[in-house]
Amino acid sequence: MIDLQEATGALQAMLDKYVPGYFSSALAQGHVEKYRSGMGSPVCVYCIQPERVTAKEDKGVKDMMYYAGRRQEDDIRKARAKEG
């Protein structure tokens, strides 16, 4: 059974945690429902209960990392500037 409201809430919580303030508006249920990746896959949200949690550190790529104050509009502007 799909609970679109719960899935949208879970995705919004992740956006709020990992990229706070990046998007200018909240995630819409319609976006979650209708979104398809470049490969045609829909959004899938799973609720899992881990038995234990471990972690590793990943240095990541600096230009791809989120930082406080980074906004979607800035990234769109940079991409358009690169296109010419």
Side-chain angles (χ1 to χ4, degrees):
M1 179 175 164
I2 297 171
D3 184 341
L4 188 57
Q5 185 173 0
E6 182 179 23
T8 303
L11 291 169
Q12 184 64 55
M14 290 188 343
L15 290 171
D16 292 343
K17 178 177 181 174
Y18 294 109
V19 290
Y22 182 73
F23 296 100
S24 58
S25 61
L27 187 61
Q29 283 185 11
H31 183 76
V32 175
E33 182 177 35
K34 295 176 184 173
Y35 176 82
R36 296 294 179 266
S37 73
M39 299 295 290
S41 302
V43 172
C44 293
V45 178
Y46 294 92
C47 180
I48 41 180
Q49 300 294 323
E51 293 178 11
R52 65 186 179 118
V53 178
T54 63
K56 293 191 259 182
E57 182 179 357
D58 182 359
K59 300 289 182 191
V61 178
K62 186 178 179 186
D63 291 340
M64 299 299 291
M65 296 177 116
Y66 172 79
Y67 52 84
R70 184 172 178 173
R71 308 262 318 164
Q72 179 185 30
E73 292 85 3
D74 298 329
D75 287 345
I76 292 170
R77 198 173 306 117
K78 283 182 189 177
R80 288 182 179 154
K82 281 184 180 180
E83 291 173 358

